Amino acid sequence: MTTPEPDRFGRAFLAAVVLEAVLIIAVLYLPRPPDTVAPATVQLRVLAPAPAPVAKPPPPKPPPPVAKPLPAPITPPMPVPTPPAPHHPVEHRIIHHIVHAPPPPPQPPPPTPEPPAPVTAAPPVSQLAEQTAMSRYTGEVRAIILGNLEVPQQLIDAGLEGDCVLEFTLAPDGSILSAAILTPSGLASVNDAALNALRASHLPEFLPGMPSAAHDFTLPVHVSGQDQ
């Protein structure tokens, strides 16, 4: 079996019709070219340069204003002073009342001062009275000092005892001026106990008949730990 040949003529005709239609449409819708314009002739003219501007001078300053003269002040008229009223002096009368006082009574003569009583000097204290007062005062001082004596515990524990002699100076009011150990003991605790007892004592003032100056005293002190 043989294959039929295609219709070549029909295809060519159809292509020619389509191409013609496209050309017609292109002719109808494409824009027309613009009309040509003839070139114009332009003439150039050279002008002279403009003159440079001339600076104008500044305007003159206005003259200063002339001050107007002020009017003269009006002075009010001076008031005419009123003449003072006539002065009539007033007379003042002074009346003096004279009172006659009675004369004062006569004063009695001042009493005659009595002569001062003669100062009688105190009789001198006898040596016996002084010794008696001193012995009595020393006993009081001894009792006060021994009453303040405290035996150290180490003497009590060891059963020891010792003696010393105090030396001290008292003022007439009983104050202690100085204190020291005149005869020390071999035990330092005995000396310390005696001095502590003296410093803790408030002693009385001197008795009548004793000297009025500070006086030195000596007092033996026995400190024992055996009787405690």
Side-chain angles (χ1 to χ4, degrees):
M1 183 175 180
T2 59
T3 304
E5 294 180 2
D7 191 1
R8 297 179 178 178
F9 177 79
R11 292 181 179 180
F13 180 77
L14 181 59
V17 173
V18 173
L19 180 59
E20 184 178 0
V22 171
L23 292 175
I24 292 172
I25 293 172
V27 170
L28 293 177
Y29 289 95
L30 286 177
R32 294 179 181 181
D35 297 335
T36 58
V37 180
T41 302
V42 179
Q43 294 182 0
L44 299 178
R45 185 180 179 182
V46 179
L47 300 178
V54 180
K56 296 182 180 181
K61 296 182 180 181
V66 180
K68 296 182 180 181
L70 299 176
I74 301 173
T75 305
M78 299 296 291
V80 179
T82 304
H87 178 68
H88 299 285
V90 179
E91 296 181 359
H92 298 278
R93 296 182 179 180
I94 301 174
I95 301 175
H96 299 277
H97 298 277
I98 300 175
V99 179
H100 298 280
Q107 298 293 333
T112 303
E114 298 181 358
V119 179
T120 304
V125 181
S126 62
Q127 186 176 2
L128 179 60
E130 182 178 351
Q131 292 178 356
T132 303
M134 186 67 69
S135 177
R136 179 182 173 188
Y137 182 80
T138 304
E140 293 180 4
V141 169
R142 178 184 176 85
I144 294 173
I145 295 175
L146 294 181
N148 294 323
L149 182 64
E150 295 183 2
V151 181
Q153 186 63 37
Q154 58 183 354
L155 295 180
I156 298 175
D157 296 340
L160 299 177
E161 61 182 357
D163 297 302
C164 67
V165 177
L166 285 174
E167 181 181 24
F168 51 93
T169 304
L170 299 181
D173 60 353
S175 58
I176 302 173
L177 301 180
S178 63
I181 298 294
L182 179 61
T183 304
S185 170
L187 300 174
S189 56
V190 173
N191 303 328
D192 295 340
L195 285 175
N196 293 335
L198 172 62
R199 292 165 181 162
S201 302
H202 297 282
L203 304 179
E205 61 183 11
F206 288 177
L207 298 176
M210 293 180 61
S212 57
H215 191 72
D216 296 333
F217 295 86
T218 57
L219 180 64
V221 179
H222 177 74
V223 183
S224 175
Q226 298 179 356
D227 300 335
Q228 302 297 323

